Amino acid sequence: MAASPIAVAPPDSTEATFALLRELRRGRARKQAANFVYWLYVTGIVVLCYGGWLVAAIVRALRHPPAPTAQAPMLLRAAPAGLSVLALLLVLSLLWDARWRGPVTLARPTADWLLDTPVRRDRLLRPRYRMSVLTWMLAGAAFGLVPTALLLAAGLGGGGIGHTLRLAGALMLSTALLGGLGTGFAALTQAGSGSARLVRLGPAVALAAVVLAVVAILAAAAGLTAVVGTVVLWSGPWGWAAQGPVALAGGSAPLWPLAYVLLALAAIGAIVAGDRAAARVPAAVLRARARTLGEMSAALVNLDARRVTTAYRTATGSYLRARFRIRPPRRRQLALPWRDLTALIRVPSRLAWSVLLSLAAVGLGVLAVRTPHAALLPITGALVFGYLAAAGLCEGARLDGDDPRRSGQLPFSYDSLVLWHAIVPCAVLAVVAGIPAAALAVLTGNARLIALVAVTIVVLVAGALVNTFRGQLEAEMFAGFDTAVGHSSSVTITLWYVTGPLLAVAPMIALCYAAISAHTARRTVVAVVLAAVLATWLVSIARSRARRLKST
């Protein structure tokens, strides 16, 4: 048999394949609709039971806008930068999503079976992309209610219910267009276009957003609000999206209709470009992401958060790594801190996120000290950010908790690893958060809070270590009984996951609030002593968990 020198294209089997699928899936559409209605019902029940008060508060604020508060002028000056930062982070989150999932996804059987057949790629992939665009635009519109509630709470949505509804509509339209814009760029990223390089700059862009907000706040303090606000509002789609809400809230944005036109044109262009790029997504990418989604779904069903994180890092290529070497210590007792420090420096992105969270915690702490009468909310945010930073720095302990054999050659007992793993996180937080906080405390005349900052760092690291050595989710935790708000096992499992932050953050909120609002050295000393007792207790819990983990 002679081989033909001309490549023979396989016949197009798109129509025949889709007809066969329609025949095989007959009746499935009704089942999927029933499943969708069921999950919609469950979501509605959950929202009604656990978030009904928030929905009622938003509706009440829309109908009866509160009067402007004392902070309203300051918030109005910060609104251009604040809303632009939120818009930028919304688009960035969609680009980040394209690293591991993206708007064009296939189920694993579809990816394994259909991608190797002569089926037109556009007929297979573009409907999924268009559904993602619609989904994210609707989700963006719902997200627009969040800044609406913040503006209304500050009294910036006055003028009657009509004006309030126009403000809510402007924000929902802005976030919906941003959702379409981000989805279009995400499709270009997934197809391997030039915008994929932007995703690698995720931490830098997030840091730039924070710097933008800080610069805007400093400009407001220096009286340059108008100039900086104008530059920010015309800096890109994120600024265009903020112009309508700023104008309706009482700020200066005279050309906001033009900004909406530009934002709509940018969103339409990105959606159209993404629609064309959706058919060019490589089959290898679709298969890899289908496997990742399958692994993450299985981990979520089993409530295995660690496997979810592992699957995500596998899909995204883990963290950026740097070649760096620290000379090994001469004393073997320092082997574990040396290993933790080396691992931390070799993954600069993890360190960068922890530094960013630590600085955010310091900023909120300063805000709490400056406004002691309303310090509860910033204290809560500062401690939450601080705990997240401490948890990010405990990766070495988390690896030893996942596999006790990893530390078998070290000259320590397994339960003493808790103390050794706390050295590097405490040292890093002391440098990146403790020193700035201490300097600000001295400059503001609150030097009595330095000891409280130091012991807070120890408490947060101890709470992170409690979660690190929790082990695997045990089967008996699923046992329980039904209640009016769900099965009791959900409470048990939730508490098992949040034991560390619950025991570390919640008591420290009360102690820090008492110390800051009292303005007395005696109350601060009592708070420091109680925090030290709390840290000791958390360390004992972590060591107890480590001993139990080693014995299993």
Side-chain angles (χ1 to χ4, degrees), residues 90-91 94 103 129-130 132-141 172-187 263-264 266-275:
L90 176 60
V91 176
L94 292 174
Y129 166 75
R130 293 166 185 170
S132 295
V133 170
L134 179 62
T135 301
W136 281 113
M137 290 187 72
L138 292 176
M172 293 176 70
L173 177 60
S174 297
T175 49
L177 291 175
L178 288 172
L181 178 73
T183 307
F185 278 117
L263 178 60
I268 292 172
I271 291 172
V272 172
D275 188 71

Side-chain angles (χ1 to χ4, degrees), residues 70-469:
Q71 290 80 23
M74 181 187 67
L75 293 176
L76 187 59
R77 290 193 298 267
L83 293 176
S84 298
V85 167
L86 286 178
L88 180 60
L89 293 179
L90 176 60
V91 176
L92 178 63
S93 65
L94 292 174
L95 286 174
W96 198 266
D97 174 76
R99 293 188 66 191
W100 66 275
R101 194 179 65 93
V104 184
T105 56
L106 296 174
R108 189 164 183 177
T110 303
D112 291 340
W113 183 65
L114 279 184
L115 290 180
D116 288 333
T117 60
V119 174
R120 290 177 52 188
R121 193 68 64 84
D122 57 342
R123 290 282 303 277
L124 179 63
L125 301 181
R126 281 179 177 166
R128 288 164 171 80
Y129 166 75
R130 293 166 185 170
M131 182 58 67
S132 295
V133 170
L134 179 62
T135 301
W136 281 113
M137 290 187 72
L138 292 176
F143 177 78
L145 293 174
V146 176
T148 301
L150 295 177
L151 292 176
L152 291 178
L156 296 177
I161 186 172
H163 187 80
T164 301
L165 291 177
R166 284 194 295 272
L167 175 62
L171 278 164
M172 293 176 70
L173 177 60
S174 297
T175 49
L177 291 175
L178 288 172
L181 178 73
T183 307
F185 278 117
L188 293 173
T189 300
Q190 193 175 359
S193 301
S195 58
R197 299 175 183 176
L198 297 176
V199 183
R200 300 178 182 177
L201 302 177
V205 175
L207 182 60
V210 176
V211 171
L212 175 64
V214 173
V215 168
I217 293 173
L218 295 178
L224 302 175
T225 308
V227 176
V228 175
T230 302
V231 173
V232 170
L233 291 177
W234 289 103
S235 59
W238 42 88
W240 304 340
Q243 290 200 28
V246 168
L248 293 174
S252 176
L255 299 178
W256 66 271
L258 175 61
Y260 267 120
V261 172
L262 294 176
L263 178 60
L265 292 176
I268 292 172
I271 291 172
V272 172
D275 188 71
R276 295 176 179 175
R280 303 196 305 268
V281 179
V285 172
L286 294 171
R287 291 192 186 93
R289 300 190 177 192
R291 288 194 298 270
T292 299
L293 288 174
E295 292 171 0
M296 295 182 74
S297 300
L300 285 173
V301 170
N302 293 321
L303 298 177
D304 191 345
R306 187 64 174 168
R307 278 184 57 197
V308 173
T309 305
T310 302
Y312 169 77
R313 291 180 186 170
T314 302
T316 57
S318 188
Y319 292 97
L320 296 176
R321 295 187 176 275
R323 292 184 177 274
F324 191 88
R325 183 179 179 181
I326 304 176
R327 174 176 290 184
R330 295 183 178 181
R331 301 186 62 178
R332 63 178 185 174
Q333 287 80 6
L334 299 178
L336 191 57
W338 168 79
R339 189 176 69 177
D340 288 348
L341 184 60
T342 302
L344 188 61
I345 295 178
R346 285 186 176 179
V347 187
S349 54
R350 185 193 299 280
L351 181 60
W353 279 115
S354 296
V355 170
L356 182 62
L357 291 169
S358 301
L359 294 178
V362 172
L364 289 174
V366 173
L367 179 61
V369 173
R370 295 293 298 273
T371 57
H373 59 282
L376 185 59
L377 186 59
I379 285 175
T380 303
L383 290 172
V384 169
F385 285 153
Y387 176 82
L388 293 176
L393 296 173
C394 291
E395 182 63 18
R398 191 170 290 110
L399 293 174
D400 281 337
D402 289 343
D403 186 6
R405 297 171 299 179
R406 182 172 179 265
S407 57
Q409 301 301 319
L410 293 175
F412 316 112
S413 61
Y414 189 73
D415 62 323
S416 67
L417 294 181
V418 172
L419 298 175
W420 290 103
H421 278 303
I423 295 176
V424 171
C426 287
V428 172
L429 288 179
V431 172
V432 302
I435 292 178
L440 291 172
V442 172
L443 292 176
T444 57
N446 294 282
R448 59 186 176 83
L449 297 176
I450 294 178
L452 183 60
V453 171
V455 75
T456 299
I457 291 175
V458 179
V459 169
L460 295 177
V461 172
L465 291 172
V466 168
N467 257 26
T468 297
F469 289 94

